[in-house]
Amino acid sequence: MKARAVRFTPEAAAQTEAAYRWWCQNRAGSADLFANELRSAIDLIARAPGTGRRYPSGALPGARRVPLHRTRFHIYYVQREDSVVVVAVWSAVRGEGPPLTSPGAAR
């Protein structure tokens, strides 16, 4: 199966950048961990978008979630015909999932 393009909504891109900055500032001993774990998860959902566990969301039917186990973040995404759209990159430490909405323009 051909890998699908993975795009980020503006909100998900901003969340990713903020998480990366926080990780680099607060986890200097493992600054690469977030980026590496995120990259592996993105590669996985590009190749096998059905991999993520279904995430119940009335606002975003078909949402799925992939955990980043070591950094305790989750990637929330939806499959499209020829791509995958990441709608949130969210810390599981918050105790609840993100407010999901249908993706508009994705990068």
Side-chain angles (χ1 to χ4, degrees), residues 5-72:
V6 177
R7 296 177 180 23
F8 284 70
T9 63
E11 295 84 5
Q15 292 164 352
T16 301
E17 291 166 13
Y20 178 73
R21 277 193 311 273
W22 185 92
W23 200 265
C24 288
Q25 292 169 355
N26 294 282
R27 299 288 188 260
S30 58
D32 294 353
L33 183 59
F34 177 78
N36 290 339
E37 199 169 29
L38 178 68
R39 188 176 309 109
S40 292
I42 295 301
D43 289 347
L44 175 65
I45 64 174
R47 289 188 324 273
T51 285
R53 174 171 267 164
R54 291 187 188 275
Y55 183 77
S57 171
L60 189 58
R64 292 183 173 272
R65 173 178 69 182
V66 170
L68 308 181
H69 294 290
R70 295 185 67 201
T71 58
R72 297 172 50 185

Side-chain angles (χ1 to χ4, degrees), residues 60-94:
L60 189 58
R64 292 183 173 272
R65 173 178 69 182
V66 170
L68 308 181
H69 294 290
R70 295 185 67 201
T71 58
R72 297 172 50 185
F73 277 83
H74 290 171
I75 298 173
Y76 296 82
Y77 67 95
V78 290
Q79 298 177 61
R80 295 295 182 237
E81 194 170 311
D82 62 346
S83 66
V84 173
V85 181
V86 175
V87 295
V89 176
W90 200 255
S91 173
V93 175
R94 295 178 185 189

Side-chain angles (χ1 to χ4, degrees), residues 91-103:
S91 173
V93 175
R94 295 178 185 189
E96 59 185 45
L100 299 180
T101 59
S102 184

